Amino acid sequence: MLLGTQRINAQGHLAIGGCDTVELARQYGTPLYVMDEADIRQKCRALRAAYEKRYPNSLMLFATKSFMNLAICRIMDEEGMGLDLSSGGEAYTALKAGFPMERTYLHGNNKSMWELTLAVESGVGRIVLDNEREMDLLQAVAAERGLVQDVLLRVTPGIKPQTHSFIQTGQIDTKFGLGISTGYAIKGLATAKGLPNLNIVGLHCHIGSNIMGLDSFEMAARMMIRFAAQVRDELDITISELDLGGGVGVRYMEDDQPPSPEDYAEAVITGLHDEIEKYRLPHPRLLQEPGRAIVGEAGTTLYTIGTIKDVPGIRRYVSVDGGMSDNPRPTLYDAKYSALAANRASAPLTQKVTVAGKHCECDNLIFDVQLPEVEPGDILAVQTTGAYNYTMASNYNRFTRPAVVLVHEGTAEVIVERETLDDLLSHDRLPERLQPSVTA
Ligand code: LLP
């Protein structure tokens, strides 16, 4: 499977964005995250076009939890996207990137005072309130500055999409948001209405992540409109913005069939129009917050193959120079990945191997992938690592986090430097009494 601008070049090497990945590995070292800029931009454009053609009053937000740094903020700005920020750290990064903050939405189920303060002071467009405690905190922050903050309320529609249970978030039993069916959502809105420095502009929901079917998205859209009608009838509040979250799946494996932007937009917007007509509501501004669908397929991680171990009759382990520190998803969610030998990309696939990470536990990145004959020193390219890899990377076993390189039309640029061993030490402090003794 070749994704985005991935091609096999004349040398039989995998190329991305016109750059030879074997050359990238040599120049920047491994493990290395390679991001395909053209693919990221194309995904933004396809999603925006699919929505804007059916529903002109819409805004696409990029969920930065999936991939966040200064460069991606600039690309999103150039593509006319907004940002869905999930923390103060993400808000700070957007601010430093010069992103127009009025196009940002701050989420989170437990926003702290400093995050709310940063958001209000930096002009975050909307704060998506998750609970009544946040309403009180935000009221205080806004009142102190004499401002009225636009807010959305996150509600849980009670939908359980088909995906890994750790990334289902729309059901009633979740830490996120206020439940519609429990009555907490309407009660929360009544509370927010009574707070003079909060201006309720709309509702938000997010039902889960890496969802391949469209039914749950359509159902969520319908339920949210029905709830907007209830809100109008009972509280006389007009919902002028409806944010339906993210969650569209991507291709990790050859036979994965994520919905196309056109099918996704069609399902959501058909459901929306139907219910809006039925309940005679004004059309709200429509927002979606894809993360994985924008950057997932654009990312490839390059590793150098090291030890190859045979367990006769059972399996062959091909170890690489990274693992759960740069990609925790197989360990956390049993996530599946595809890979190819970047320096032998056109060689026949002759063996089934297990790709093992090098951490001090069983971190296998991929069970059972077909590869050609490989040897130590070869470059392995694991695909579809653009979302939730770099942002979830850790320093487990004192590994340094990899660099991120952005490739585009034959040019490669580092957008995140590789951490150094001294970076790791730079936050350690040694109390005087633990200094190594000079006599030793
Ligand atoms: N909006 C909200 C409020 C979210 O919580 C999320 C993701 C998104 C948007 C973007 O969802 P996406 O389009 O990327 O599916 N670490 C997990 C994924 C957690 C997703 C959390 N929320 C993973 O590696 O699969």
Side-chain angles (χ1 to χ4, degrees):
M1 145 176 110
L2 291 177
L3 300 165
T5 68
Q6 295 176 351
R7 304 283 179 269
I8 296 173
N9 67 17
Q11 288 75 44
H13 295 175
L14 173 67
I16 310 175
C19 297
D20 185 316
T21 55
V22 179
E23 189 49 36
L24 292 175
R26 198 193 55 73
Q27 193 175 344
Y28 300 102
T30 55
L32 182 70
Y33 298 119
V34 179
M35 296 299 291
D36 180 347
E37 182 175 338
D39 190 51
I40 296 173
R41 290 184 185 273
Q42 188 276 329
K43 296 285 188 337
C44 294
R45 288 171 198 181
L47 273 163
R48 279 195 57 187
Y51 269 76
E52 284 166 20
K53 140 171 119 195
R54 294 172 174 84
Y55 201 103
N57 187 17
S58 61
L59 176 65
M60 211 39 81
L61 310 176
F62 168 61
T64 51
K65 71 199 73 180
S66 62
F67 184 71
M68 182 51 153
N69 43 63
L70 296 172
I72 195 74
C73 292
R74 297 305 325 137
I75 293 174
M76 291 302 142
D77 188 12
E78 287 181 14
E79 292 300 328
M81 304 279 288
L83 298 181
D84 148 5
L85 308 166
S86 66
S87 70
E90 291 181 3
Y92 185 73
T93 306
L95 192 64
K96 291 290 172 184
F99 195 88
M101 296 305 277
E102 66 277 7
R103 270 194 274 134
T104 64
Y105 285 61
L106 180 69
H107 292 269
N109 66 305
N110 184 26
K111 300 175 196 70
S112 48
M113 206 57 177
W114 77 265
E115 291 179 301
L116 292 169
T117 306
L118 174 76
V120 168
E121 289 187 343
S122 58
V124 160
R126 308 275 189 264
I127 296 180
V128 184
L129 295 170
D130 211 86
N131 51 65
E132 295 207 18
R133 175 173 179 268
E134 284 181 1
M135 292 176 194
D136 293 338
L137 297 181
L138 184 59
Q139 165 60 29
V141 172
E144 203 178 306
R145 285 155 188 81
L147 300 167
V148 175
Q149 175 67 48
D150 288 337
V151 298
L152 270 63
L153 182 71
R154 176 166 185 169
V155 302
T156 37
I159 292 172
K160 212 170 173 176
Q162 281 246 311
T163 187
H164 192 284
S165 65
F166 289 7
I167 50 179
Q168 287 170 336
T169 48
Q171 70 277 22
I172 285 297
D173 182 3
T174 166
K175 67 177 179 176
F176 296 105
L178 296 171
I180 294 180
S181 65
T182 56
Y184 284 105
I186 197 91
K187 187 173 149 290
L189 283 162
T191 306
K193 193 182 171 190
L195 297 172
N197 296 77
L198 305 188
N199 176 37
I200 306 168
V201 295
L203 299 172
H204 167 268
C205 74
H206 170 77
I207 57 173
S209 199
N210 201 31
I211 301 167
M212 297 291 179
L214 288 169
D215 303 3
S216 325
F217 292 123
E218 185 189 330
M219 205 192 302
R222 289 181 184 271
M223 289 187 67
M224 292 296 279
I225 292 295
R226 282 178 220 149
F227 183 60
Q230 186 191 345
V231 170
R232 174 199 57 194
D233 298 345
E234 293 181 23
L235 299 175
D236 194 25
I237 296 174
T238 304
I239 297 304
S240 53
E241 278 195 13
L242 187 60
D243 181 342
L244 294 176
V248 177
V250 295
R251 282 183 91 191
Y252 285 100
M253 307 298 289
E254 183 108 51
D255 52 8
D256 283 339
Q257 289 181 326
S260 69
E262 292 292 326
D263 291 348
Y264 175 45
E266 185 65 27
V268 170
I269 293 167
T270 302
L272 213 61
H273 278 316
D274 276 4
E275 302 293 319
I276 285 175
E277 223 165 274
K278 190 147 80 193
Y279 290 96
R280 297 180 190 288
L281 282 165
H283 279 77
R285 175 151 91 144
L286 174 61
L287 301 115
Q288 296 269 198
E289 315 166 327
R292 194 186 314 262
I294 303 279
V295 291
E297 294 177 6
T300 304
T301 308
L302 303 179
Y303 299 98
T304 302
I305 291 175
T307 304
I308 297 174
K309 171 185 169 170
D310 280 323
V311 182
I314 301 184
R315 70 175 69 248
R316 171 171 290 178
Y317 287 97
V318 171
S319 290
V320 294
D321 55 352
M324 63 189 287
S325 55
D326 60 76
N327 184 1
R329 301 193 67 261
T331 311
L332 275 178
Y333 316 115
D334 200 18
K336 307 282 180 279
Y337 283 91
S338 307
L340 50 122
N343 56 322
R344 301 173 194 269
S346 44
L349 306 178
T350 52
Q351 56 172 347
K352 192 164 78 175
V353 308
T354 291
V355 177
K358 60 178 267 170
H359 287 278
C360 295
E361 55 187 278
C362 296
D363 78 311
N364 292 313
L365 285 174
I366 312 180
F367 279 106
D368 297 344
V369 60
Q370 290 289 137
L371 289 184
E373 293 308 305
V374 288
E375 54 188 52
D378 283 351
I379 303 299
L380 189 79
V382 176
Q383 294 168 291
T384 322
T385 59
Y388 305 107
N389 274 228
Y390 164 66
T391 52
M392 290 173 69
S394 77
N395 295 121
Y396 183 41
N397 295 143
R398 284 254 149 168
F399 278 38
T400 54
R401 277 174 290 195
V404 185
V405 162
L406 186 67
V407 292
H408 187 55
E409 294 178 352
T411 305
E413 289 156 301
V414 173
I415 57 170
V416 181
E417 290 284 353
R418 183 178 301 283
E419 275 178 338
T420 65
L421 293 173
D422 285 328
D423 288 335
L424 295 183
L425 289 183
S426 69
H427 283 257
D428 284 13
R429 298 291 176 268
L430 199 53
E432 193 62 39
R433 65 190 178 80
L434 297 179
Q435 298 284 344
S437 101
V438 274
T439 53

